[in-house]
Amino acid sequence: MYSKQESSKQTDVRLGVDKGSLRLQFNSRVSQQFYGKRQKYIGLGRSDTNDNRNWAEGITRRIQKDIDYQNGINFDPTLNKYLELKSNVVNLPGSLPIPTLKELWEEYVNWKVDTKQISNGTRIGRYEGSFVYLLKNYLNKPLTEELAQTIIDDLCARRTNSDSIGKLFSALSSMSQRAINNGTLKKDYFAEIKKFYKPQKKSKQLQEEEDCRAYTIKERNLIINSFYSSQKPSFRQLAELIEFLFLTGCRPGEAFALEWRHINLDKGWIRFEDAYSSVSKEIKETKTNVIRIFKFKKNSRLAMLIDRLNTANKNCSGTDLLFTKLNGKRVSLDTLAGVWDKKYSEGRVYNGIVTTLVNEGKLQYLKPYSTRHTFISIQANNGTDLALLADVCGTSVDKIMKHYLQPDKQRELADI
């Protein structure tokens, strides 16, 4: 029997050096238990100097203490709780300082905005919103190969948001390529995963269910009429907007930006040249950066809708908005969601028109953007030329076929 003195106790984690950089090495027991590997190494992104070694040894002691307690119940395999220890970072002589992921990401996103590759709204909603949320645990760490692998392992293990994760891997690779060109990074750690990551496939049945993104004409009219006949003034106020979205297939942001100067009743056209971003709260160009004309016939349902709006706003100027809330302010996506789906106020939930109809069993729930799907599907299934439809809706024939065209399941192939 041997004495269980501290000096004879097995060490589960050791501090090592690899090519001049400090790293942690876990024994086989801990590697298997917490990482599922025979041998786990984790680089610390610090060169082997006295200051960095003192910092790393402090981390090693904290890790060993947590592993020792009740079979590692306090141990954090991500090392987040330990890497928060502060140190004076000293890099290898002549080597590049290792920037944090946050520094690289912010420079990359600002460059994308400055070069007009993305809009400010896309930056706020996607690059500083959903993408940063996925990266939040890693932003303040130096982007080493070990950190990149940890990010890859984490994101690949997730069972949701696979489409966003695939786009994020592409963005991280592009960020790395830019950093290499700028001389702030040596390698693109995300190049391979960008090529080979595949979003989780959905069953054919699930795809068919999710592809049902358009309402029928009967369902469309039910929604429109329900807005007009609502007992709530805030719902009736936006009835014309809902009908307009269904009758033009324009994007909601384009309708929010419409002013009377964009309408010519005599010539029968609407000029879509701007869009309102509900995220950045600014007027920007349309999604395709193309000004387009939407023509309508004199006695059409759309012409009568615009004529009613014009009659109700006789004293308006060219810069007045077509659609406003009861208080006269601009409509946003939040406003639209409140009257369409539901609104939360003072701890209570108030259902919108479509959610109410769904609860009554009268239709299935589709998002407000389905107004665009519905318009394009109805037009295409009634023989409208797809090239014309693509032009007036600001899209392409390929996108209509892939994303918007809702098959008419009542039609059959011709017997020829």
Side-chain angles (χ1 to χ4, degrees):
M1 297 290 291
Y2 60 85
S3 175
K4 295 184 178 180
Q5 300 295 322
E6 185 70 20
S7 58
S8 65
K9 189 174 183 179
Q10 180 182 2
T11 300
D12 296 296
V13 57
R14 297 178 183 276
L15 181 63
V17 179
D18 179 45
K19 298 179 181 179
S21 296
L22 296 172
R23 73 176 183 181
L24 299 178
Q25 176 180 327
F26 295 90
N27 66 11
S28 58
R29 181 184 69 84
V30 173
S31 297
Q32 287 281 3
Q33 180 179 350
F34 294 99
Y35 298 102
K37 297 182 178 180
R38 294 184 60 184
Q39 192 73 67
K40 178 65 175 178
Y41 300 92
I42 298 181
L44 296 176
R46 304 287 190 270
S47 56
D48 186 14
T49 67
N50 289 335
D51 286 339
N52 288 342
R53 182 170 281 273
N54 289 336
W55 167 77
E57 287 174 348
I59 286 178
T60 304
R61 289 191 293 271
R62 289 187 64 195
I63 291 174
Q64 185 64 61
K65 182 178 179 181
D66 283 354
I67 291 175
D68 289 341
Y69 182 74
Q70 294 188 7
N71 197 31
I73 191 173
N74 289 337
F75 175 53
D76 176 13
T78 69
L79 305 190
N80 287 342
K81 66 185 287 188
Y82 314 110
L83 293 178
E84 292 174 354
L85 289 173
K86 303 299 182 182
S87 71
N88 295 318
V89 179
V90 181
N91 292 284
L92 293 169
S95 68
L96 289 172
I98 304 175
T100 65
L101 176 58
K102 182 178 181 181
E103 292 170 338
L104 292 170
W105 184 255
E106 289 181 346
E107 193 281 332
Y108 169 69
V109 173
N110 288 335
W111 169 71
K112 294 273 284 185
V113 174
D114 292 342
T115 54
K116 299 188 182 301
Q117 297 181 58
I118 60 173
S119 67
N120 195 41
T122 301
R123 171 175 64 178
I124 296 171
R126 179 181 297 177
Y127 286 80
E128 295 178 352
S130 57
F131 284 172
V132 165
Y133 177 79
L134 291 169
L135 296 172
K136 63 181 180 180
N137 292 331
Y138 312 106
L139 289 172
N140 293 320
K141 300 177 182 179
L143 183 55
T144 61
E145 187 167 3
E146 289 79 8
L147 179 66
Q149 189 59 53
T150 300
I151 293 172
I152 291 170
D153 291 343
D154 174 17
L155 297 182
C156 286
R158 301 195 181 200
R159 303 183 66 85
T160 58
N161 299 323
S162 58
D163 287 337
S164 293
I165 289 171
K167 293 175 182 177
L168 175 55
F169 280 142
S170 294
L172 287 169
S173 180
S174 298
M175 174 202 74
S176 300
Q177 290 293 332
R178 174 165 172 76
I180 292 170
N181 293 336
N182 290 340
T184 55
L185 202 63
K186 289 185 176 180
K187 183 179 178 181
D188 179 2
Y189 305 120
F190 302 96
E192 291 300 310
I193 191 64
K194 167 191 171 184
K195 294 178 183 177
F196 298 110
Y197 178 81
K198 301 295 183 184
Q200 293 179 349
K201 292 184 177 180
K202 300 174 182 178
S203 68
K204 185 176 181 181
Q205 292 86 350
L206 181 58
Q207 285 181 329
E208 289 177 352
E209 181 68 23
E210 292 184 349
D211 282 344
C212 187
R213 293 177 278 187
Y215 286 115
T216 64
I217 294 177
K218 181 179 178 181
E219 291 171 331
R220 177 200 70 179
N221 291 340
L222 173 63
I223 294 171
I224 293 172
N225 293 336
S226 296
F227 270 94
Y228 278 110
S229 61
S230 173
Q231 299 299 311
K232 296 183 178 181
S234 60
F235 289 5
R236 293 198 305 274
Q237 174 71 14
L238 295 186
E240 286 87 358
L241 169 63
I242 298 300
E243 186 175 13
F244 184 87
L245 292 172
F246 272 122
L247 296 182
T248 62
C250 72
R251 300 176 181 90
E254 295 170 344
F256 302 160
L258 276 179
E259 300 173 353
W260 279 104
R261 62 187 177 88
H262 298 129
I263 308 294
N264 191 316
L265 268 172
D266 294 332
K267 294 183 178 180
W269 53 250
I270 304 166
R271 181 182 174 92
F272 291 107
E273 62 181 48
D274 299 314
Y276 175 72
S277 170
S278 298
V279 177
S280 62
K281 303 186 185 307
E282 62 184 2
I283 298 295
K284 60 179 184 178
E285 295 178 326
T286 62
K287 184 176 182 179
T288 55
N289 298 326
V290 173
I291 298 174
R292 67 183 192 276
I293 298 296
F294 187 104
K295 296 182 180 179
F296 54 87
K297 295 180 180 179
K298 186 173 183 181
N299 295 317
S300 65
R301 181 172 177 176
L302 178 58
M304 290 187 286
L305 167 63
I306 295 175
D307 188 57
R308 291 200 309 272
L309 285 168
N310 185 49
T311 301
N313 295 275
K314 278 295 185 181
N315 298 321
C316 65
S317 66
T319 56
D320 285 341
L321 296 169
L322 252 71
F323 306 106
T324 63
K325 297 185 288 186
L326 281 173
N327 60 9
K329 294 184 178 180
R330 189 190 304 274
V331 181
S332 68
L333 287 177
D334 285 341
T335 313
L336 181 58
V339 299
W340 182 280
D341 182 9
K342 58 176 67 76
K343 179 180 180 180
Y344 300 90
S345 179
E346 298 180 350
R348 298 185 64 183
V349 180
Y350 299 90
N351 287 337
I353 291 292
V354 175
T355 296
T356 299
L357 293 172
V358 171
N359 292 340
E360 293 172 353
K362 295 180 179 179
L363 43 77
Q364 65 173 323
Y365 182 83
L366 297 177
K367 296 179 180 179
Y369 205 80
S370 65
T371 56
R372 180 169 171 85
H373 290 289
T374 300
F375 173 79
I376 294 176
S377 294
I378 291 173
Q379 290 292 329
N381 286 319
N382 280 275
T384 300
D385 181 77
L386 294 186
L388 171 63
L389 189 57
D391 182 60
V392 299
C393 290
T395 185
S396 66
V397 172
D398 287 342
K399 287 187 176 180
I400 287 177
M401 297 296 293
K402 183 177 181 180
H403 298 293
Y404 293 108
L405 185 57
Q406 174 70 20
D408 184 349
K409 297 180 181 179
Q410 303 302 316
R411 300 178 68 181
E412 297 179 350
L413 293 172
D415 184 17
I416 55 176

